[in-house]
Amino acid sequence: MLHLDLKLAIDKKFNLVILRILNYDLIVMSLSDLSKLQELIKQNKNFVLLSGAGVSTASGVPDFRSEHGLYKKFKNAEYLLSHEALVNEPSAFFDFYKKQMLLKNIKPNLIHQKIAAWEAKEQIGWVITQNIDGLHSLAGNEKVIELHGTIYRNYCMNCHKTYSLDFVKKANNIPKCLCGGIVRPDVILYGEMLHPGVYEKCYEVLQKTNLLLVAGTGLTVSTAANIINMFKGKHLVIINNQSTPYDYLAELVIHQDLTEVFLQLT
């Protein structure tokens, strides 16, 4: 395995943060962008952060739509993670779900830890996340709105008895309740609506902040796009490794690796 010597350097003369890989320098972001982002975070107590798959990829969680995402690897991934598959082909659904969504040894990364530290310092108000991996909570965040649910909650489709993640993991293919019903994850599958009250809670917290920091999402999923439309505050910041349809609305846009950006923030 090739080991790369990665180092961050700051070139104040040219106002750049530089990632040094071996003997090659790659421009990561401008110091002015970084300084502006840090100042916005400092000045806007109780800001809201919208997180997407890019926040968890550094933990080894695959995303869906990137070049190496699940959609590229499995052409029928959307169907296998749909309500239709759960009802009509539960064996195929759980085989795919367990192998691709319930990954082993997944832990919060530097980005999760930084966001949790902000909450501990009462800097951040809420995290709204598209992710179902529960890593924000594991990192220590308590004020988290999970748009699409979480793998850590599971319930019987028949009697609604709740079950743990371990129960689902240890089940032989299709997890079954004592009543005979299928125990499904409390996550929003393709073809399903968000849980009642989720958007209302998002709207409530967004009305109380002047800064919405978007991290690691291309904003192509309607639920994330709706969050942008709900926000009426002054400062919208988008950090993503690729452009989004809402970049033109943002006061600050940084198209860089999230880990490298968050590494520079306090």
Side-chain angles (χ1 to χ4, degrees):
M1 179 180 294
L2 177 63
H3 175 73
L4 295 181
D5 181 22
L6 303 179
K7 295 181 180 179
L8 282 172
I10 295 178
D11 188 330
K12 293 185 177 180
K13 179 179 179 181
F14 293 101
N15 196 35
L16 299 173
V17 176
I18 297 172
L19 175 63
R20 183 156 292 143
I21 306 178
L22 297 178
N23 293 320
Y24 298 92
D25 289 345
L26 302 176
I27 296 175
V28 176
M29 74 196 92
S30 73
L31 280 176
S32 59
D33 285 349
L34 185 63
S35 297
K36 185 173 184 178
L37 174 57
Q38 187 68 74
E39 190 64 22
L40 284 171
I41 292 172
K42 180 181 178 180
Q43 291 181 351
N44 291 274
K45 296 284 186 181
N46 297 317
F47 73 90
V48 174
L49 184 141
L50 172 62
S51 73
V55 170
S56 292
T57 52
S59 293
V61 180
D63 62 16
F64 286 85
R65 293 172 175 79
S66 74
E67 183 180 352
H68 303 291
L70 288 178
Y71 283 173
K72 295 289 185 180
K73 189 176 180 181
F74 304 98
K75 299 302 181 183
N76 60 342
E78 185 169 326
Y79 169 73
L80 290 172
L81 292 174
S82 70
H83 180 83
E84 182 182 0
L86 173 64
V87 172
N88 297 327
E89 297 185 69
S91 180
F93 169 86
F94 278 104
D95 181 63
F96 185 81
Y97 175 76
K98 289 183 180 182
K99 289 178 180 177
Q100 304 303 324
M101 309 305 290
L102 305 185
L103 305 175
K104 296 180 179 179
N105 302 318
I106 299 299
K107 298 178 181 179
N109 59 52
L110 178 148
I111 304 167
H112 296 107
Q113 293 164 358
K114 184 82 68 172
I115 296 169
W118 285 337
E119 184 177 300
K121 294 187 295 185
E122 298 184 347
Q123 180 67 55
I124 192 171
W126 285 83
V127 174
I128 301 173
T129 184
Q130 298 172 249
N131 303 332
I132 64 172
D133 50 44
L135 291 177
H136 283 298
S137 296
L138 288 177
N141 282 99
E142 296 183 356
K143 295 194 274 188
V144 181
I145 301 173
E146 294 163 325
L147 288 173
H148 301 143
T150 173
I151 60 174
Y152 284 90
R153 293 193 304 266
N154 301 271
Y155 66 92
C156 172
M157 296 173 66
N158 182 39
C159 72
H160 299 286
K161 177 180 171 63
T162 58
Y163 286 87
S164 68
L165 175 60
D166 283 342
F167 177 85
V168 174
K169 284 182 174 180
K170 294 176 181 178
N172 184 17
N173 190 239
I174 304 174
K176 291 289 187 72
C177 178
L178 292 174
C179 76
I182 293 176
V183 176
R184 62 158 290 173
D186 190 10
V187 300
I188 305 302
L189 305 175
Y190 289 100
E192 295 181 336
M193 302 291 290
L194 264 62
H195 292 324
V198 171
Y199 273 145
E200 288 79 1
K201 182 62 178 178
C202 290
Y203 181 82
E204 176 188 335
V205 303
L206 286 168
Q207 303 317 299
K208 300 176 182 178
T209 184
N210 250 334
L211 170 61
L212 175 59
L213 174 56
V214 178
T217 171
L219 298 174
T220 56
V221 177
S222 61
T223 50
N226 287 338
I227 300 302
I228 301 298
N229 294 326
M230 287 182 193
F231 177 61
K232 304 302 179 184
K234 186 177 180 181
H235 309 289
L236 173 62
V237 175
I238 298 176
I239 310 172
N240 196 49
N241 59 1
Q242 297 179 337
S243 62
T244 82
Y246 293 88
D247 284 1
Y248 74 100
L249 292 176
E251 177 179 344
L252 177 62
V253 176
I254 299 176
H255 290 155
Q256 301 294 346
D257 177 79
L258 271 182
T259 301
E260 302 304 336
V261 176
F262 273 73
L263 188 63
Q264 300 300 308
L265 298 175
T266 60

